[in-house]
Amino acid sequence: MPLPAEVDAVVVGAGPNGLVGANRLADAGWDVLLVEAQPEVGGAVRSDREVDPAFVSDTFSAFYPMAAVSPAITSLGLERFGLEWSHAPAVLGHPRRDGSWALLHHDEDVTAGLLDAAHPGDGEAWHELVGRWRIVQPGLIGSLLTPIPPVRSGVRFLTELARVGGLGFVRELLVPAAHLAERRFGGDGPSLLVAGNACHADIPLDAAGSGFIGLLLTMLGQTVGFPAPTGGAQALSEALRARFEAAGGTVATSTPVTGIRVAGGRAVAVQTADGEVRVRRSVLADVGAEQLFGGLVDAADLPARTTRKMDGFRRDPATFKVDYALDGPVPWAGTPAYAPGTVHIADSVPAMSAYSNQLDSGFVPADPYVLVGQMTTTDPSRSPAGTESLWAYTHVPQEVRGDAGDDGLTGSWDTSEAERFADRLQARIEAFAPGFGSRVRSRRILTPADLEHRDANLVGGSLNGGSSAVDQQLVFRPFAGTGRSETPVRGLYLASASAHPGGSVHGACGMNAARAALWWDRLRLSR
């Protein structure tokens, strides 16, 4: 399909943020072209049948609690375009060596009952914590996902905060994940759940901010679950595409963008190998910050301070992933009361702290924390009856200084290293599921380089568009003094996870960029 010569807006990158931003502009009546380098839309929300033709594997991400609460996605009515959600019997599980489990169930009463059975009194404490969270969640989520300053949602959050203890509750959110739950609970179950969720991000478990991440994901699991698109992650992306095209938008896949032309300080065209598309109004860039500033936009078209500030931008750790087709369910040492879709593999909270500290120090963890997705347990359509489509991943340093284990890994992730580290991950699963290896029909290893090759936004295999550390959030994302989607180039907006509010599939980065583009365009036309 030939590209149009001129449009109102070009959206570069068809990840979830780009798709959401494109939908918002199309809804406003703009003529929008969405261009994507890969053959399919979706970015890190895609699925395939490479591991086994009978199995659907989510190539990157799989569970979407933030999508369930994000107005940027829920407001689009994607169910009208074929999207359905699936839930596992239990949201999340953490197995122990003795075969017992810490479980998070969809039903708060069930979760509380399981925790109380393990340690009397923990059930009541769980109800109290969740009750407070339910009060602040709407305002907090709104404040997190809207542009800075979050005026309306911020006022709501402050009002809600006064009902749950004010600054005392805020202080509790700042407690490191390694210690947050132990203050409230006598058993280790809540600590395992919160610390395990905190390990999804890159903040050491003994650092401020980690507790907030862990509690956020745990409470989202309790209030909305960890939903997965029925049929595979691609179903979410295809629903976003279908809605965009129904609104009059145009999609061009297999179309890498090579540059953004700037004239008079304004973005005026997007350049591809197939030609240049002139832009009447705006460009939304769903690409990494380092790929945009000094990459797609020539450094000569940027203020010198932008280039200097970008020196402080850093990526979150790399990801190493193994996808499995299993001949049967995972043979866990102990059968959980309810089968979880998400499983965290780690011996204890101190073990998770050791893992995060090794990672933060640049060492490949000796006993990696492993995040596991039981996708057929969650959605039976993913593989034949009696089998399991499963993935497992962990984080490794962007720059490897050494191997805390015994394999001498250097971070080259060549075939030999990839196989050895995949075996290390599999051994971690086997320790909690004896005989796991005998169920493996086939496996696929995706190194950090493989992930980036399949989605250029996953620079170095990082999933979140930049570090989750406090100095890379809010007004410091992607560098100090920003915190919004506007860039130094007029008509150009950063719409990726490198912009506030960062990683996770919530679409807010794209929605915020689209709203900014609409606002500034109205202002320009009114002059």
Side-chain angles (χ1 to χ4, degrees), residues 226-292:
F226 285 3
T230 303
Q234 192 76 43
L236 172 56
S237 299
E238 292 302 331
L240 284 164
R241 175 178 183 161
R243 188 189 185 283
F244 172 61
E245 292 179 327
T250 302
V251 177
T253 56
S254 301
T255 307
V257 170
T258 57
I260 296 172
R261 185 160 63 85
V262 177
R266 184 174 189 85
V268 297
V270 169
Q271 298 159 331
T272 77
D274 298 324
E276 181 177 274
V277 180
R278 296 186 300 277
V279 177
R280 290 186 288 265
R281 288 173 154 171
S282 298
V283 176
L284 270 60
D286 182 10
V287 303
E290 68 269 62
Q291 297 162 310
L292 180 63

Side-chain angles (χ1 to χ4, degrees), residues 301-320:
D301 293 318
L302 296 167
R305 65 179 181 276
T306 298
T307 304
R308 289 197 303 270
K309 288 182 177 181
M310 274 301 297
D311 288 340
F313 176 77
R314 65 181 187 277
R315 281 274 165 173
D316 43 306
T319 302
F320 188 102

Side-chain angles (χ1 to χ4, degrees), residues 293-519:
F293 300 120
L296 294 180
V297 176
D298 193 279
D301 293 318
L302 296 167
R305 65 179 181 276
T306 298
T307 304
R308 289 197 303 270
K309 288 182 177 181
M310 274 301 297
D311 288 340
F313 176 77
R314 65 181 187 277
R315 281 274 165 173
D316 43 306
T319 302
F320 188 102
K321 183 171 182 279
V322 185
D323 294 302
Y324 290 97
L326 303 181
D327 282 328
V330 178
W332 300 110
T335 302
Y338 304 91
T342 301
V343 179
H344 295 159
I345 298 291
D347 289 289
S348 62
V349 173
M352 285 186 269
S353 292
Y355 152 84
S356 67
N357 288 331
Q358 288 172 357
L359 184 63
D360 191 53
S361 299
F363 284 80
V364 178
D367 294 311
Y369 155 90
V370 183
L371 181 59
V372 175
Q374 299 191 122
M375 301 316 300
T376 307
T377 295
T378 304
D379 171 13
S381 73
R382 301 295 185 96
S383 68
T387 67
E388 183 72 69
S389 176
L390 182 135
W391 52 260
Y393 81 69
T394 193
H395 294 300
V396 293
Q398 285 278 351
E399 299 289 337
V400 174
R401 297 178 182 174
D403 184 3
D406 298 326
D407 295 314
L409 301 177
T410 66
S412 71
W413 306 124
D414 59 18
T415 301
S416 174
E417 286 206 358
E419 290 288 345
R420 281 182 282 155
F421 193 59
D423 289 343
R424 187 183 297 184
L425 263 62
Q426 188 163 315
R428 296 290 295 141
I429 301 173
E430 189 96 23
F432 293 86
F436 173 82
S438 67
R439 302 285 174 92
V440 176
R441 177 187 298 192
S442 57
R443 77 178 188 182
R444 172 182 64 185
I445 300 171
L446 294 175
T447 68
D450 293 329
L451 293 172
E452 183 176 356
H453 176 73
R454 291 166 181 255
D455 181 355
N457 276 9
L458 307 184
V459 176
S462 72
L463 299 182
N464 289 319
S467 173
S468 299
V470 175
D471 67 302
Q472 300 275 290
Q473 296 299 309
L474 303 173
V475 296
F476 306 111
R477 193 173 188 92
F479 49 77
T482 49
R484 296 177 64 88
S485 56
E486 289 89 338
T487 74
V489 177
R490 295 193 306 278
L492 175 63
Y493 303 88
L494 180 60
S496 73
S498 290
H500 171 75
S504 192
V505 178
H506 43 59
C509 306
M511 182 63 79
N512 293 344
R515 287 176 173 165
L518 291 167
W519 190 89

Side-chain angles (χ1 to χ4, degrees), residues 63 88-97 99-106 111 114-115 126 188-197 200 217-218 221-222 225-226 330 332 334-347 352 369-374 377-378 390-391 429 432:
F63 294 102
V91 178
L92 167 65
H94 193 119
R96 301 182 183 90
R97 289 278 187 168
S100 64
W101 287 73
L103 286 174
L104 179 65
H105 193 273
H106 299 280
T111 303
L114 293 169
L115 294 174
W126 184 259
D188 70 343
S191 291
L192 290 171
L193 296 173
V194 170
N197 276 319
H200 290 215
L217 289 176
T218 304
Q222 184 61 90
F226 285 3
V330 178
W332 300 110
T335 302
Y338 304 91
T342 301
V343 179
H344 295 159
I345 298 291
D347 289 289
M352 285 186 269
Y369 155 90
V370 183
L371 181 59
V372 175
Q374 299 191 122
T377 295
T378 304
L390 182 135
W391 52 260
I429 301 173
F432 293 86

